Amino acid sequence: AGSTITRLVDGELDFKRGTKPIPAITGTQAYYQNFAGPLSTKGSKMTVIMESDAELNYYLQNTKSIALDLSFTDPGLNTVDFHMSDLLWSVGKKNPGKDWMEVDLEFWGQPNATDTAAASGGGALSPVVIAVTNSVSASY
């Protein structure tokens, strides 16, 4: 289980998916299929205000299976939620450059069956579930 982080100063979610067209000998220029490789979140970053050593210790102690939820809501109540059930930390360091202490962290979501089941009902593994909602109550 993870903890709620309300001290987020800055962050970057880095999603990468390599794609490549698969040619076929069909007598046309059209490709047989566009292959979509695995989704990666490696290289994602966040900076938090350090009130305790919790997030830094996740990295220093090589803690695995920490869940991370990031929710962003605009004034119109539109939201984007990012959920990673199995998070790994790759970099962690204290940043004393301000009057308060901050911690710079890098992380990535491990592909797992929990996030995949929530997103698609099964199949391949996924490192993240993304949910987008809006405040429109009726279709038009």
Side-chain angles (χ1 to χ4, degrees):
S3 60
T4 302
I5 299 173
T6 58
R7 307 170 314 279
L8 183 67
V9 174
D10 193 9
E12 177 182 313
L13 291 173
D14 191 7
F15 297 111
K16 294 181 181 123
R17 179 186 301 269
T19 60
K20 187 172 185 176
I22 300 172
I25 302 174
T26 59
T28 68
Q29 288 183 325
Y31 287 103
Y32 165 69
Q33 187 178 44
N34 278 325
F35 173 77
L39 178 65
S40 170
T41 59
K42 195 165 186 174
S44 295
K45 303 173 185 178
M46 73 173 143
T47 300
V48 297
I49 295 172
M50 183 174 167
E51 289 181 352
S52 69
D53 287 338
E55 293 85 10
L56 183 59
N57 282 336
Y58 291 154
Y59 165 70
L60 294 174
Q61 297 171 7
N62 197 24
T63 306
K64 294 177 177 52
S65 300
I66 297 295
L68 176 66
D69 290 290
L70 296 172
S71 298
F72 301 96
T73 304
D74 71 13
L77 299 179
N78 301 303
T79 63
V80 179
D81 297 314
F82 300 89
H83 173 77
M84 296 179 205
S85 294
D86 193 358
L87 204 67
L88 294 177
W89 305 93
S90 59
V91 173
K93 64 179 181 173
K94 291 180 180 179
N95 182 352
K98 297 185 177 155
D99 291 340
W100 55 89
M101 182 71 72
E102 294 181 347
V103 178
D104 297 324
L105 300 160
E106 285 188 30
F107 59 92
W108 75 90
Q110 286 257 99
N112 64 82
T114 302
D115 291 344
T116 302
S120 66
L125 301 176
S126 176
V128 63
V129 175
I130 303 170
V132 180
T133 58
N134 63 40
S135 59
V136 177
S137 61
S139 42
Y140 51 90

